Amino acid sequence: MAQKIVRANGQEVKPAAEEGKKVTQTVKKAAEEGKKVNQTVKPAPPASNGSTVGLRIGAVVCWVLAIACEILCILALTNYFYPPFNKTAFLIIGILLDLGLAIAAAQMWKKANRIKPMSGKNKFLFYLWSELGVIMACICFIPLIVLLIKDKNLDKKSKLIVTIIAVVALLITGVASADFDPITAEEKAEAEAVVTQDVFWSTFGHKYHTEQDCQAIANSATLYQGTVTEAIESGRTSLCAFCARRHPELESVKSEDAALEEAPVEEEAPDAEAQQP
């Protein structure tokens, strides 16, 4: 049934539902404007000088120490080494140290890869180089987990606890070490050559944006502004799909893979009086 139009003193009075809708839209608009006013833009950390030697050496040292912790745990587990205190506690401490060192190494390795990435011409070698952190995580934990499962010296309760901790540590290290959006040397060079203006990115986002008013970062309280080199070194290796659409000249730049569809536009309901014959 069509909603009636009430007239008072010769003036048209709009339905309450429509008035409520307008009030809601006004409130939403005010909230959005408030977010824009309160949004803070900070300068990005300065880009490095391009040297990755220190990061690579630091990563290797941490991985060596992590493997050393694993070896000590294996020796204690197989009774080739007698820890100065409870064996179960020693194994747990060794696994936690292994976890921290492996994650620290992977973070340094990923940082070095963003500063000076490897060429993507050989995809297999590029994958191994980019995901070396995951490979090392497996080396740092899987041998110990296998021996824990086969061990007959620990009591069942201690064996179960230590094994669960080791498996969880492996999973955490693997996820923290994985590079989910690696960039090749060619892709970084292309971005630095094409994207000449400053870009923006959020604290927890994974993409960089050419426009501050991009809908993907509209609700972010803090944004960082800097060059595309600084964005890539901060872990934002791809251009936002929305911004890529607004700048066709950036078509060659590495951007989001997901195809984002435009939201459908709602059609207004036909006027009730216009439907009457």
Side-chain angles (χ1 to χ4, degrees):
M1 182 181 293
Q3 192 171 16
K4 293 183 179 181
I5 303 296
V6 181
R7 298 181 183 274
N9 297 328
Q11 294 183 348
E12 187 177 76
V13 179
K14 295 184 178 180
E18 188 175 339
E19 290 291 342
K21 184 178 180 181
K22 281 195 170 184
V23 171
T24 303
Q25 291 175 346
T26 304
V27 172
K28 286 182 178 180
K29 185 176 180 182
E32 290 175 359
E33 290 176 353
K35 286 179 182 177
K36 288 183 180 179
V37 172
N38 296 328
Q39 197 173 61
T40 303
V41 180
K42 296 182 179 180
S48 65
N49 57 5
S51 175
T52 61
V53 176
L55 289 170
R56 303 285 187 196
I57 293 175
V60 171
V61 169
C62 286
W63 274 322
V64 170
L65 292 175
I67 293 174
C69 289
E70 180 190 26
I71 292 173
L72 283 176
C73 290
I74 291 174
L75 292 176
L77 185 65
T78 54
N79 292 329
Y80 283 97
F81 167 74
Y82 294 97
F85 50 91
N86 181 269
K87 183 189 288 189
T88 301
F90 180 85
L91 291 173
I92 293 173
I93 293 173
I95 290 170
L96 294 179
L97 287 174
D98 193 354
L99 167 68
L101 289 166
I103 290 178
Q107 296 306 310
M108 286 188 282
W109 190 262
K110 287 194 291 185
K111 178 70 174 179
N113 286 343
R114 292 191 290 265
I115 295 172
K116 193 174 182 180
M118 184 181 181
S119 172
K121 293 180 180 179
N122 188 319
K123 293 183 178 180
F124 178 71
L125 291 180
F126 174 74
Y127 175 79
L128 291 180
W129 189 259
S130 300
E131 303 302 337
L132 184 60
V134 178
I135 296 171
M136 293 305 299
C138 295
I139 294 173
C140 290
F141 288 100
I142 290 180
L144 176 59
I145 292 172
V146 171
L147 289 176
L148 278 169
I149 293 173
K150 294 182 176 181
D151 182 72
K152 297 180 180 179
N153 296 320
L154 286 176
D155 59 272
K156 290 184 178 180
K157 183 179 179 181
S158 298
K159 177 180 176 179
L160 179 62
I161 292 173
V162 176
T163 303
I164 291 174
I165 292 175
V167 171
V168 172
L170 170 62
L171 296 176
I172 293 173
T173 307
V175 172
S177 302
D179 194 343
F180 296 101
D181 193 20
I183 188 169
T184 66
E186 294 80 8
E187 290 170 338
K188 184 179 181 183
E190 181 70 20
E192 291 173 335
V194 177
V195 185
T196 56
Q197 74 270 33
D198 276 359
V199 295
F200 304 87
W201 62 94
S202 60
T203 304
F204 301 104
H206 300 287
K207 312 294 176 184
Y208 62 86
H209 309 260
T210 55
E211 305 298 330
Q212 185 179 350
D213 62 351
C214 176
Q215 65 193 77
I217 53 175
N219 296 329
S220 299
T222 302
L223 295 180
Y224 293 90
Q225 179 180 2
T227 65
V228 70
T229 302
E230 292 168 340
I232 291 172
E233 291 187 8
S234 297
R236 281 71 180 178
T237 55
S238 299
L239 174 64
C240 161
F242 293 115
C243 295
R245 286 184 176 183
R246 296 169 68 173
H247 295 277
E249 69 274 11
L250 303 180
E251 182 180 357
S252 60
V253 176
K254 174 180 169 68
S255 60
E256 284 181 297
D257 295 330
L260 302 176
E261 298 180 356
E262 296 289 343
V265 179
E266 295 183 359
E267 297 182 0
E268 295 183 359
D271 192 350
E273 293 183 356
Q275 292 181 349
Q276 295 179 358

